[in-house]
Amino acid sequence: MNGSSSHSSEIVSPFQDSHDTIPINQSIYKDVILSDNAAFVLLLLFYVVLGALISIFGIITNIINIIVFVKQGAYKECGTVNLLGLAVSDLLVAITMLYVSFCFSFVLFEPPNHPWEPFAFKYVTAGWPHLMVAQITRTITAYVAFERCMCVVFPFKVKTILSPKRSIVISISIFVCFVLSFSPAFIKQKLMYKHDPIVNRSRIVLVLASDWQYVVDIMWYINSIAFNVGSVAIVLICTLITASRVQLSKTWRSSMVTGGAVETKAGDADISTKSGTASQQNVMSSSKMQKEKKLITMIVSISVIFLFCYIPDFTFLLMYTINSDIRILGKYHNLAMVMYSLTFFMETFNSSINIIVYYKMSSKYNKVFREWVGLSTDNESLK
């Protein structure tokens, strides 16, 4: 979230060792590109209506994902540990988005004599936490793609490189790393009770330290550019490598089965034994091919959904890079607010629909889920 001091009046700083602060107030809603009425409709749609619906759905689905992964034995397999970490971060994304929707309803429909400035309250208590957990989800998604790539490229060494315990440490470290990296934003901004010239009375408003813009600019380039671009690059590269290696393995197994079948025709004495062995190999190879096909489809599906959902975020990043006035306290603040609302919504959408991919493409997840909800039959339980 970016801002500029040029569009707000300066007041005496309540912070120790600071000189000037910048209050965020309703003057930010004037825009020369996007009208207030158009911005109101779009913000109501993405933040309040669709945002609340998708976040509620995401909270439910990710609680289900966490339960299923724990029942699968989350601490036994590296992949399940990573998916559990992703489910936890996705749950936090959905929870913070629901809180954003609640807070922004006050921004759009500010009641009279409200004890705090609604936008300031939403900005500090909802906006920044959501940005933080969304970045955690991006990073864990990249790590999941990396781990799966390692399983395909180094199938016999990956267990010594990435153990379940190490995956737990890595997932926890990602959470801690981003909490620390976002802490300057919370340190340099505070909600304080003071006179608000917009309503000509005292209420809780947002006060920013004099070096807030400098700190936020650094965070913007580190988190929005380095980590965002890096996460997408890792997902793309690892997905391409995984798909190509699995496809190569599939082709090799297919040729081996065909060669085995031809060899059985050339045998004389042990033709029946060889035929039976070839048939067994054929069935085993066919089963492996089906699992590999599902793996490829699952990886590609998750990657495509991830990339599609982060198109608005990268579009916003490109727009801001071209014109720095496209920001919350810039000249085109309505446009920036709408882009943030679309970005928040799509991030939450990405974090809410993984359950569909897991259920459709993971036989283990499907089996545990059906057993948990009592949908599995006796025949399925015996398999």
Side-chain angles (χ1 to χ4, degrees):
M1 288 187 171
N2 288 280
S4 174
S5 61
S6 60
H7 292 80
S8 302
S9 60
E10 294 184 350
I11 62 176
V12 178
S13 173
F15 292 171
Q16 294 179 355
D17 301 324
S18 295
H19 301 288
D20 298 314
T21 56
I22 308 163
I24 291 183
N25 53 46
Q26 294 177 354
S27 64
I28 64 172
Y29 293 111
K30 304 299 180 182
D31 195 323
V32 296
I33 289 183
L34 194 63
S35 68
D36 289 352
N37 290 335
F40 177 88
V41 173
L42 292 173
L43 291 173
L44 177 64
L45 177 66
F46 290 118
Y47 267 138
V48 181
V49 180
L50 296 179
L53 291 175
I54 195 63
S55 59
I56 292 172
F57 178 75
I59 291 171
I60 296 172
T61 58
N62 282 295
I63 289 176
I64 293 173
N65 287 339
I66 292 172
I67 294 173
V68 172
F69 290 140
V70 170
K71 285 182 174 292
Q72 282 184 215
Y75 306 105
K76 297 178 181 179
E77 296 180 1
C78 188
T80 309
V81 169
N82 298 332
L83 292 178
L84 177 61
L86 182 60
V88 172
S89 64
D90 284 341
L91 176 61
L92 293 176
V93 169
I95 291 174
T96 54
M97 184 60 192
L98 184 60
Y99 185 56
V100 167
S101 299
F102 171 77
C103 291
F104 215 86
S105 64
F106 287 93
V107 174
L108 297 177
F109 306 100
E110 182 177 358
N113 300 321
H114 205 274
W116 61 77
E117 201 283 300
F119 182 84
F121 190 79
K122 174 260 179 189
Y123 186 82
V124 176
T125 65
W128 279 106
H130 179 84
L131 287 174
M132 181 181 68
V133 294
Q135 186 61 66
I136 292 173
T137 285
R138 293 189 192 100
T139 307
I140 293 181
T141 301
Y143 176 63
V144 168
F146 172 76
E147 184 268 334
R148 287 173 178 169
C149 180
M150 292 287 287
C151 288
V152 174
V153 177
F154 305 107
F156 302 109
K157 297 181 180 180
V158 68
K159 289 186 177 180
T160 60
I161 300 173
L162 297 174
S163 64
K165 289 184 179 180
R166 288 178 182 174
S167 291
I168 294 173
V169 172
I170 291 173
S171 295
I172 294 175
S173 299
I174 290 173
F175 277 88
V176 174
C177 174
F178 282 104
V179 169
L180 294 176
S181 69
F182 274 81
S183 60
F186 297 99
I187 295 173
K188 294 296 181 177
Q189 57 191 15
K190 291 184 180 180
L191 292 170
M192 304 196 71
Y193 188 79
K194 54 192 308 95
H195 181 74
D196 187 351
I198 298 299
V199 294
N200 195 27
R201 60 183 172 83
S202 295
R203 63 175 180 173
I204 297 175
V205 297
L206 175 62
V207 183
L208 308 175
S210 57
D211 58 347
W212 173 83
Q213 185 63 60
Y214 174 75
V215 172
V216 169
D217 282 344
I218 294 176
M219 291 180 57
W220 171 268
Y221 288 108
I222 292 176
N223 292 306
S224 296
I225 297 180
F227 282 107
N228 282 5
V229 175
S231 297
V232 171
I234 291 173
V235 171
L236 276 173
I237 294 171
C238 291
T239 299
L240 291 174
I241 293 175
T242 302
S244 63
R245 291 299 295 264
V246 173
Q247 183 63 35
L248 181 64
S249 176
K250 178 182 176 181
T251 304
W252 179 80
R253 282 199 179 94
S254 180
S255 63
M256 290 295 293
V257 171
T258 304
V262 172
E263 186 178 345
T264 56
K265 293 180 181 179
D268 294 323
D270 300 327
I271 188 169
S272 60
T273 304
K274 290 182 178 181
S275 179
T277 303
S279 178
Q280 185 178 6
Q281 290 177 346
N282 201 354
V283 171
M284 292 175 63
S285 181
S286 177
S287 177
K288 289 182 178 180
M289 289 178 184
Q290 288 298 322
K291 290 182 180 179
E292 289 167 355
K293 184 179 178 181
K294 287 184 177 181
L295 176 62
I296 295 174
T297 305
M298 183 173 175
I299 292 172
V300 171
S301 298
I302 293 175
S303 300
V304 169
I305 293 171
F306 173 81
L307 295 173
F308 173 76
C309 289
Y310 283 97
I311 288 176
D313 189 34
F314 281 94
T315 303
F316 189 20
L317 176 62
L318 180 62
M319 291 167 60
Y320 173 76
T321 303
I322 296 173
N323 189 338
S324 60
D325 278 325
I326 305 176
R327 50 182 165 178
I328 289 179
L329 294 181
K331 189 184 298 182
Y332 311 114
H333 23 260
N334 277 347
L335 178 60
M337 289 294 295
V338 170
M339 288 303 300
Y340 267 120
S341 68
L342 179 59
T343 297
F344 277 32
F345 169 74
M346 292 303 292
E347 288 171 345
T348 310
F349 180 82
N350 173 71
S351 295
S352 302
I353 62 171
N354 283 338
I355 189 172
I356 300 174
V357 179
Y358 299 149
Y359 186 82
K360 291 289 185 180
M361 301 178 187
S362 174
S363 57
K364 189 173 183 180
Y365 181 97
N366 187 298
K367 181 176 180 292
V368 174
F369 175 82
R370 291 175 66 85
E371 288 178 351
W372 175 51
V373 298
L375 293 177
S376 62
T377 62
D378 294 337
N379 291 334
E380 288 178 332
S381 299
L382 292 173
K383 289 181 181 181

